[in-house]
Amino acid sequence: MVRRVVVALLGPVTWAPPGIDPTRWRSALAEDVVDLLATLNEVETAVAVTPEDRWLADAVVWPGTAVHEVPEPTVGAVFATLTGYDQAAVVAADAPDVPGLTLGKLLRPLSSRPVAVAPVEGSGAGLLGVAARLPVPEWLPALDLDTAAPAEVRAAAPRPGDVAVTAGWRRLRGPADLATLDPAFEGWEATRALLSGQPG
């Protein structure tokens, strides 16, 4: 039985909608992503934070969810904390409406390839997430989810085919991303409540 884990990296959030407290915004995004992870089948779930952001993890995790403290909010730092797993994915915590199926597709290629990446759709550079067989291949570069690109990961691999590029999804990092939210789409309750002005 392959042991898999999906980790939400609760990294810094650099933008919040006008009139919304950035801390409450960050918390709502993280809560929605953590809630989504709790619905995934056949994987364990966890969150990763720097020590100064431990308060955020404590505020949003479900009972029994593992919290990994990392020295910096990077993919490599998260992978380095994981032991006992065969496969792991690290995903950004500012994609509150990402479908669980999209995260499942990030793990699927690991049966035949060592690494998979999910790009960000819409505005800005970066990745939605990175998945890898563990231990992580030595050639995998240091990756920041806010700036890395699939081409950068493929260029580092011994063969470009070692890196699968899976379905992408938007991250909420600016007004253009916010405008693409679909009110009819299920999930993202905490973010939805904050945007609608409901007390949270």
Side-chain angles (χ1 to χ4, degrees):
M1 180 81 179
V2 176
R3 193 171 176 212
R4 303 179 180 93
V5 63
V6 179
V7 184
L9 176 55
L10 309 185
V13 172
T14 58
W15 175 85
I20 293 181
D21 176 71
T23 299
R24 290 186 66 204
W25 175 247
R26 184 183 182 195
S27 297
L29 296 176
E31 181 179 341
D32 284 336
V33 171
V34 169
D35 286 353
L36 167 73
L37 293 189
T39 69
L40 299 178
N41 295 322
E42 299 179 7
V43 298
E44 296 179 44
T45 60
V47 300
V49 290
T50 58
E52 57 267 28
D53 284 339
R54 179 65 191 235
W55 63 270
L56 179 58
D58 292 340
V60 300
V61 296
W62 291 55
T65 302
V67 177
H68 300 280
E69 289 193 5
V70 292
E72 57 183 1
T74 63
V75 173
V78 177
F79 281 145
T81 69
L82 302 175
T83 57
Y85 295 100
D86 302 298
Q87 301 174 359
V90 179
V91 298
D94 55 5
D97 63 335
V98 61
L101 187 61
T102 299
L103 298 184
K105 287 178 178 177
L106 182 58
L107 286 164
R108 191 169 300 139
L110 298 183
S111 60
S112 59
R113 307 195 204 182
V115 173
V117 296
V120 170
E121 290 185 347
S123 63
L127 299 170
L128 170 68
V130 180
R133 295 181 196 159
L134 300 181
V136 174
E138 291 184 3
W139 52 260
L140 187 67
L143 297 173
D144 183 329
L145 290 176
D146 290 337
T147 58
E152 173 187 346
V153 187
R154 282 194 149 166
R159 296 173 301 278
D162 287 340
V163 179
V165 179
T166 67
W169 196 258
R170 65 177 160 261
R171 294 171 55 188
L172 298 189
R173 298 186 292 175
D177 302 313
L178 191 64
T180 63
L181 279 174
D182 183 353
F185 199 79
E186 292 184 7
W188 61 285
E189 277 83 5
T191 304
R192 190 192 311 260
L194 192 55
L195 288 170
S196 67
Q198 299 172 13

